[in-house]
Amino acid sequence: MFTSNELEYLESLSGLNPIQQDINVFKQKGKSVELEETGLTRDKYLDFSEARVRQFVPFLNEYGGIMDPGDGEEHEYATASFVKAGAILLANDRCKDLQEQILLAMDWASTCLGENKVPDDHADFTTHMLVRAYQLLIPMVDSERSDAWKTHLSNIEPELTYCQTVRNFPDIRTVRNWATYAMHGEMMRLSEGFTDSIAFIDKYLKPQMTRFTYEGLYRDPNLPAAYDLAARQQLSGLIDAGYNGEWKAFLEKQLRKGAQTMLFMQSTTGGISCGGRSNQIIWNELTFANLCEREASLYAKEGDLEWAGVFKRAARKSLQSILRWIEDPIEFRLLKNRFDSELRNGWEFYAYYSTYSLYAAQIAASCYESAYENIQEKASPADLGGYVVPIKSFNRIYATTGPQQGAYHLVMDTAAQMGHDATGWVRLHKADYLEETALSMGIAGLNGNIHLNYFMAKQVIPRPHTPVAIGLTWRDGQGSWHSLADFGRRKHETFASLNVDGTPTKSEKLHWNALLESEVETSDALAFKIRYESTGLQLLNDMDLRTPYDDLQPAYLRGIADMLPRPGIEGVAAIVETYRIAKGGVTTAWSVDAAEDSELSAIGVTVPVLVSNGADESVIRIEGNKLFVNYSNVIYSIKPDGESDELELELLPGLMPNRNGNYRLAQWVSKDVKTEIALHFSLEHNN
């Protein structure tokens, strides 16, 4: 089944993690560090799960289905999630007053699965939930009821019941993360005797193996951070359910490698990585926590209490980071903003309040089951900082500093997915500060959205035509402005065949080669440099043209001859960014190298600044070319580094939305294109 390229790639995955040096340095650093524990126990997971189950009991219909508050319909895996969460709660002496409702929902959900009537053709997600619920609920019911459940759970015909199979995806290599849920469910069915065949797993697991990256992450199409986590969680469940087939050893190695990698992607706030569809939704953090709790327990069983403590700490920091959304006094916030949930602001078209709320509840319940309390928390990478980690397979760079260096966390997306993200500096966090205060993710534009399967998240106000990050803009010799943020990935990835490095053979050509050129750490600062070098690929009316294709009609070639872009990328050969992070803030300088025979007339730096998260407002103040944002008793300041009278600041009109709130765009502009623009960013409490 595998091509020679794929076989070579799979063999290469047995090598060291590309960030192994950072892992080794962290292990040495963390040995003597003392820290205050989070104080969160695993009961906090059940508290959240119970709150969601109770929240949705009023939406249970007479048959046992969970209806969505928005449209009054049952969707996807909402009922199955309710059942699994409810079963774990009942098994742990919670929600005893809701036992009959939970059992009724189990009746309905198992019937729908057995009769292939799961709403919205989402059976792939439900099997593992319902088998776990069956295991916990059978002591609470008579044999007639449990036998009915068993019959339904035994009636599944995987190729027909599940959506992402070869009936809908003729090329099995293009099946994505849904298969990991289905295989987890099938392994659980096998363990309970509901099937005697592992054929489905053998068939669908093998082509999924090439989705792993050198860092042990899972590459879903277009590199969403959320579905790396989700797929690895389900493949972990496959192992835990008893999988002992051909790929067990390979899977275990990749899952451990990926678990260590993701620690270096966690923010100092405890939040997990941004990037791609379904990000900024609280189930992301719970999935991260579930993976960490599992690793902590595994390491503890192996006798490695250091790593066990690190993963326990990372899990609890992740949980801690979403408490403000879980415990919002107005309503439970499914997504990290405070817009009314009925507005669906920042939600994908496939996201429903019932589905994702209860999906989060069942993950939280799994966190409780995975958690091993008799482990002492140990400092995690997000606690210690002092590293700049490039995750090359995901086109992202993570820079994190420890308390003596300000406890900042930065993320750069060097080739963002257009329609969902922006290329450039997309995250600026500081420990113990609200994540949206500066920036938690880029601002997506309308231009360049890809395949209809990946509609961009809904917004309640118009989004900008072009995306925005913290980053460079430039004006060419003809007076047109361009920005780094607008040069990203515009095609939908397919995995019908792969290169020797694990990327699709028809992968998209990138506009920039992003290079992390240097990194210097001292006790009080972390400094590094990123260089974006033009590949010569241009953006022209949504078409990328390096050299016109040979098979184009001569008339067409003549027609575009005068339209072909200028040297470099719209006149730029390279962009250099230098960063210095210290307790006083982040100082960043941008400079450009003009392409040969081209002329630039101005350069600038754009910075989105928060106006509102949907409920809480900021106050923006300008003093000359300095800008201050007062938000939630914090001052976020952006100032030129040093005296720079020629640097002009303009706060542009109009609101620019992302999943976290509405922003305005500040732009610092200089007509001296040969001199770098240097700005200083800081977050401080307003005492």
Side-chain angles (χ1 to χ4, degrees):
M1 175 185 190
F2 290 128
T3 65
S4 59
N5 278 348
E6 291 164 344
L7 287 171
E8 186 174 343
Y9 176 63
L10 284 170
E11 180 65 26
S12 71
L13 292 180
S14 64
L16 289 177
N17 192 328
I19 70 164
Q20 190 61 49
Q21 182 177 348
D22 295 287
I23 295 170
N24 295 341
V25 170
F26 160 72
K27 287 170 67 177
Q28 286 299 119
K29 272 186 178 181
K31 285 183 177 179
S32 59
V33 173
E34 294 184 6
L35 76 164
E36 182 180 350
E37 295 202 13
T38 60
L40 297 177
T41 69
R42 67 176 188 156
D43 287 334
K44 197 70 176 177
Y45 293 122
L46 279 193
D47 292 344
F48 169 74
S49 189
E50 180 174 352
R52 300 289 73 74
V53 167
R54 291 190 179 279
Q55 178 183 356
F56 282 92
V57 166
F59 299 95
L60 193 73
N61 70 10
E62 59 183 308
Y63 304 107
I66 295 291
M67 303 292 105
D68 189 78
D71 62 8
E73 301 291 332
E74 184 183 4
H75 287 291
E76 299 167 344
Y77 38 84
T79 305
S81 297
F82 177 88
V83 170
K84 179 189 165 187
I88 294 173
L89 289 162
L90 288 173
N92 288 280
D93 295 321
R94 302 254 194 143
C95 295
K96 293 294 187 180
D97 57 316
L98 301 180
Q99 179 168 315
E100 285 309 309
Q101 290 95 322
I102 293 167
L103 296 177
L104 179 65
M106 177 64 177
D107 294 338
W108 177 250
S110 59
T111 299
C112 288
L113 181 57
E115 296 180 0
N116 201 7
K117 295 179 180 177
V118 174
D120 305 326
D121 207 3
H122 270 60
D124 312 51
F125 296 85
T126 65
T127 304
H128 76 92
M129 301 182 194
L130 296 180
V131 176
R132 182 60 185 139
Y134 172 87
Q135 293 169 338
L136 296 171
L137 294 176
I138 50 174
M140 306 176 196
V141 299
D142 58 36
S143 59
E144 181 179 357
R145 200 170 200 176
S146 64
D147 286 347
W149 295 344
K150 182 175 181 179
T151 298
H152 292 311
L153 294 173
S154 300
N155 281 347
I156 296 169
E157 297 181 52
E159 292 286 354
L160 298 178
T161 302
Y162 301 133
C163 174
Q164 291 216 1
T165 61
V166 291
R167 69 183 172 92
N168 290 323
F169 291 74
D171 190 329
I172 196 172
R173 292 169 296 183
T174 64
V175 175
R176 57 189 193 275
N177 74 81
W178 289 36
T180 66
Y181 289 86
M183 289 185 289
H184 181 190
E186 286 304 294
M187 193 65 233
M188 294 193 70
R189 285 209 312 135
L190 183 69
S191 69
E192 286 298 317
F194 299 155
T195 179
D196 59 3
S197 174
I198 200 172
F200 181 86
I201 296 172
D202 286 340
K203 178 178 179 179
Y204 285 90
L205 184 59
K206 189 174 182 177
Q208 291 291 308
M209 295 302 91
T210 54
R211 293 298 184 92
F212 280 99
T213 72
Y214 294 113
E215 303 91 353
L217 306 179
Y218 178 94
R219 185 185 177 109
D220 210 47
N222 311 312
L223 306 175
Y227 293 106
D228 155 58
L229 295 170
R232 285 191 291 114
Q233 180 196 38
Q234 297 307 311
L235 291 170
S236 298
L238 175 70
I239 294 290
D240 296 343
Y243 174 73
N244 195 30
E246 174 187 5
W247 295 98
K248 180 182 179 182
F250 176 88
L251 258 180
E252 288 179 328
K253 182 168 184 176
Q254 299 310 312
L255 290 170
R256 176 143 290 181
K257 187 189 291 186
Q260 292 183 352
T261 296
M262 73 182 185
L263 295 177
F264 292 81
M265 301 161 69
Q266 186 178 26
S267 172
T268 54
T269 65
I272 65 98
S273 178
C274 57
R277 55 196 173 88
S278 292
N279 86 94
Q280 304 300 299
I281 303 175
I282 62 99
W283 69 253
N284 291 197
E285 271 72 19
L286 287 166
T287 305
F288 177 95
N290 191 203
L291 286 164
C292 287
E293 296 285 9
R294 175 183 183 270
E295 287 296 317
S297 297
L298 289 175
Y299 275 113
K301 290 173 185 175
E302 296 166 12
D304 189 340
L305 296 183
E306 290 296 322
W307 269 120
V310 169
F311 276 101
K312 180 182 176 182
R313 171 74 171 183
R316 305 303 162 93
K317 282 176 68 72
S318 185
L319 173 61
Q320 191 175 54
S321 76
I322 58 173
L323 292 181
R324 62 180 287 229
W325 308 112
I326 291 171
E327 299 171 351
D328 187 286
I330 304 299
E331 65 169 325
F332 161 64
R333 305 294 177 176
L334 177 63
L335 194 135
K336 294 181 180 180
N337 66 50
R338 298 195 68 208
F339 292 94
D340 190 309
S341 61
E342 293 182 1
L343 297 174
R344 294 174 54 85
N345 196 65
W347 300 17
E348 271 84 4
F349 73 96
Y350 50 75
Y352 294 94
Y353 192 68
S354 57
T355 302
Y356 273 180
S357 298
L358 289 166
Y359 180 66
Q362 63 86 24
I363 298 172
S366 289
C367 288
Y368 176 86
E369 290 194 306
S370 298
Y372 184 47
E373 287 292 66
N374 195 24
I375 299 172
Q376 182 181 352
E377 290 181 16
K378 302 288 186 180
S380 70
D383 290 308
L384 299 185
Y387 53 83
V388 184
V389 172
I391 306 297
K392 293 182 180 179
S393 61
F394 273 61
N395 304 309
R396 295 180 191 131
I397 298 172
Y398 299 83
T400 307
T401 60
Q404 295 305 311
Q405 304 160 326
Y408 283 95
H409 176 73
L410 283 60
V411 179
M412 292 77 184
D413 193 334
T414 61
Q417 181 196 346
M418 295 292 95
H420 279 279
D421 297 299
T423 296
W425 180 7
V426 294
R427 172 167 285 185
L428 173 56
H429 283 176
K430 186 176 182 179
D432 302 322
Y433 287 71
L434 301 184
E435 291 181 340
E436 71 272 20
T437 306
L439 192 64
S440 209
M441 62 172 291
I443 295 175
L446 288 169
N447 187 26
N449 190 35
I450 59 171
H451 193 278
L452 293 183
N453 283 346
Y454 299 97
F455 275 121
M456 63 187 75
K458 180 184 182 296
Q459 300 293 354
V460 296
I461 62 170
R463 68 180 72 226
H465 183 67
T466 57
V468 178
I470 305 174
L472 194 79
T473 64
W474 63 94
R475 189 172 64 194
D476 64 25
Q478 284 68 43
S480 297
W481 280 98
H482 312 278
S483 70
L484 175 65
D486 194 30
F487 292 89
R489 294 173 286 117
R490 284 175 160 77
K491 295 181 180 178
H492 175 57
E493 285 188 325
T494 59
F495 289 77
S497 61
L498 301 181
N499 293 317
V500 71
D501 62 355
T503 60
T505 53
K506 296 183 179 179
S507 60
E508 187 169 0
K509 296 175 181 177
L510 300 180
H511 299 86
W512 306 94
N513 288 324
L515 308 171
L516 180 60
E517 289 196 330
S518 61
E519 176 186 346
V520 177
E521 185 194 6
T522 64
S523 61
D524 60 357
L526 179 67
F528 60 98
K529 180 188 294 186
I530 300 173
R531 181 179 177 87
Y532 290 87
E533 292 185 346
S534 163
T535 63
L537 189 66
Q538 297 289 345
L539 187 65
L540 179 65
N541 298 329
D542 292 335
M543 293 189 299
D544 288 330
L545 298 174
R546 186 193 303 268
T547 301
Y549 299 113
D550 294 336
D551 58 354
L552 291 179
Q553 293 291 332
Y556 182 79
L557 290 174
R558 288 194 298 273
I560 67 171
D562 291 336
M563 300 165 57
L564 290 176
R566 296 162 184 84
I569 295 183
E570 302 297 353
V572 169
I575 297 170
V576 177
E577 303 175 346
T578 60
Y579 295 83
R580 185 180 186 276
I581 312 172
K583 201 156 193 174
V586 181
T587 303
T588 308
W590 290 264
S591 62
V592 296
D593 295 339
E596 186 178 356
D597 297 327
S598 66
E599 180 183 353
L600 304 180
S601 55
I603 59 172
V605 172
T606 58
V607 182
V609 291
L610 182 69
V611 173
S612 170
N613 72 356
D616 308 310
E617 307 291 324
S618 73
V619 175
I620 300 172
R621 177 168 52 91
I622 292 177
E623 295 179 6
N625 56 14
K626 302 174 183 178
L627 184 143
F628 304 88
V629 181
N630 286 29
Y631 177 71
S632 187
N633 203 35
V634 168
I635 297 178
Y636 171 40
S637 64
I638 311 161
K639 312 172 185 177
D641 185 46
E643 296 299 323
S644 185
D645 294 336
E646 294 183 0
L647 195 58
E648 297 181 2
L649 166 62
E650 182 179 6
L651 185 64
L652 303 182
L655 296 177
M656 311 185 82
N658 67 13
R659 296 175 191 263
N660 305 118
N662 295 327
Y663 292 72
R664 287 183 68 181
L665 189 63
Q667 180 168 267
W668 282 260
V669 174
S670 172
K671 294 179 182 178
D672 181 1
V673 299
K674 294 183 179 180
T675 301
E676 67 182 18
I677 294 178
L679 298 176
H680 182 75
F681 302 78
S682 66
L683 290 161
E684 300 295 339
H685 288 293
N686 186 12
N687 296 321

